Amino acid sequence: MTTESTTADLVTIGARSKARRLRVEKGVVLRFLDALGSPVEDEGVEVTVPPTFPTTLQLPAPGLNLIDPARILHGEQEYIYERPLRTGDELTCVAEVAQVTEKTTRLGKVTVVVIETTGRDDDENLVLTERMTLIVR
């Protein structure tokens, strides 16, 4: 008899990534704005960091490296800000598995995994929380 591991067996609520120091660099923000179709013509102007910019700061989600990426669908993305991001900000970011739920759909069983990534400034103040919902088929 063989037992097959489920996604819920591989991904543990509370599992955390290593802390990673990330800098919000103006050049990267400018390239992001350009990709969104909002290029900044004068690099000398103050650049407003778009609310979806933390997408570029992705950390590996704990446990998901054990799952075939072809089985993972992106379900939802949410950003919660305590203050706006600014170019030059340096954040210490950690990704944590916040929720794992198995559901039966008309297409079969899926696992819904919610990853929360927090970014804190040098004074340990929470700047942002990114909540990503993934669906594992």
Side-chain angles (χ1 to χ4, degrees):
M1 173 187 245
T2 61
T3 57
E4 190 173 312
S5 292
T6 66
T7 302
D9 295 331
L10 299 173
V11 182
T12 306
I13 294 173
R16 297 168 59 101
S17 70
K18 292 180 181 177
R20 189 165 148 200
R21 190 92 167 134
L22 299 167
R23 182 175 169 82
V24 180
E25 296 180 7
K26 184 175 182 178
V28 177
V29 173
L30 290 171
R31 286 193 300 277
F32 188 80
L33 286 166
D34 188 50
L36 293 175
S38 302
V40 175
E41 298 298 325
D42 180 5
E43 289 193 27
V45 301
E46 181 64 29
V47 176
T48 301
V49 179
T52 56
F53 181 77
T55 302
T56 67
L57 307 177
Q58 292 297 317
L59 297 177
L64 290 182
N65 61 326
L66 304 172
I67 299 167
D68 177 4
R71 295 179 44 216
I72 301 173
L73 300 171
H74 185 269
E76 187 174 83
Q77 196 85 15
E78 176 183 11
Y79 304 97
I80 303 160
Y81 287 92
E82 304 304 317
R83 68 161 174 82
L85 279 180
R86 297 181 287 264
T87 56
D89 277 345
E90 291 192 28
L91 303 176
T92 300
C93 299
V94 176
E96 181 176 348
V97 177
Q99 183 179 354
V100 178
T101 309
E102 289 186 327
K103 295 184 178 190
T104 301
T105 70
R106 62 183 176 87
L107 300 175
K109 187 182 261 189
V110 298
T111 303
V112 179
V113 180
V114 177
I115 307 292
E116 286 187 357
T117 300
T118 55
R120 295 183 179 277
D121 65 17
D122 289 336
D123 295 323
E124 291 296 313
N125 295 315
L126 182 64
V127 175
L128 71 97
T129 302
E130 175 187 22
R131 189 171 294 127
M132 177 174 46
T133 301
L134 303 172
I135 301 162
V136 183
R137 300 179 284 135

